[in-house]
Amino acid sequence: MRRAIFPGSFDPPTNGHLDIIRRSLPLFDEIIIAVLNNPEKKPMFTVEERCGIIREILPGVENGKCRLLIDSFSGLTADFARRKSATAIVRGIRAISDYEYELRMALMNRRLEPTIETVFLMAAEEYSYVSSNLMKQVFILGGRVEGLIPATVEARMREKLNG
Ligand code: PNS
């Protein structure tokens, strides 16, 4: 049983996240999409809302034999991965600028939990500039983000902004 976690803030999930999930499907039997509950950050969506949005968009992913689960966690990613008996942490790399941050996290996570490998997958070129923060910023300022985030996410952001 090859179980991985795909940790992140997912505030909100983007098509870049879905691209990484799709790419990791053939590699694992089970992937837990793990939403970080970070009280230090001021997210647009609560952890429950983010999990709900992911639950709404996952049926659009042709998951084949791989089981996709959604969970949230607080504290260390390495601890969560160990608690879930995962053997891998999946992370997406969009551009070389992601590498340094990701390398530091991977090495620290390896030190914390030497049995768990970080697996890096390269995002599709068309999502190489897509980040949750950029999507929020552009959307809030009235720019077009279709094709970069799922339609559900756009609808939830519109609801959020309109109160
Ligand atoms: O989507 P993000 O914000 O790039 O994801 C970052 C995340 C959640 C993977 C990272 O911040 C994280 O692992 N946070 C949990 C706390 C932790 O384990 N910190 C040490 C990482 S070496």
Side-chain angles (χ1 to χ4, degrees), residues 7-11 17 34-36 38 41 73-79 89 91 94 101-102 104-109 112 132:
S9 305
F10 301 103
D11 185 48
H17 290 124
V35 181
L36 175 67
N38 185 355
K41 279 198 183 171
F73 73 104
S74 304
L76 290 172
T77 293
D79 285 346
I89 296 170
R91 291 287 290 170
R94 290 162 295 194
Y101 168 63
E102 292 298 336
R104 271 187 283 135
M105 277 209 297
L107 294 178
M108 191 64 218
N109 283 331
L112 292 168
S132 299

Side-chain angles (χ1 to χ4, degrees), residues 10-41:
F10 301 103
D11 185 48
T14 67
N15 285 352
H17 290 124
L18 289 180
D19 177 62
I20 295 299
I21 293 171
R22 285 197 180 94
R23 287 174 196 283
S24 49
L25 290 170
L27 306 178
F28 301 103
D29 302 305
E30 189 173 288
I31 301 165
I32 304 170
I33 299 155
V35 181
L36 175 67
N37 187 4
N38 185 355
E40 278 163 37
K41 279 198 183 171

Side-chain angles (χ1 to χ4, degrees), residues 125-144:
E125 297 92 296
E126 68 249 52
Y127 304 127
S128 61
Y129 60 96
V130 174
S131 70
S132 299
N133 283 339
L134 191 63
M135 294 304 103
K136 279 187 283 195
Q137 192 185 103
V138 172
F139 183 82
I140 289 167
L141 297 173
R144 288 178 47 233

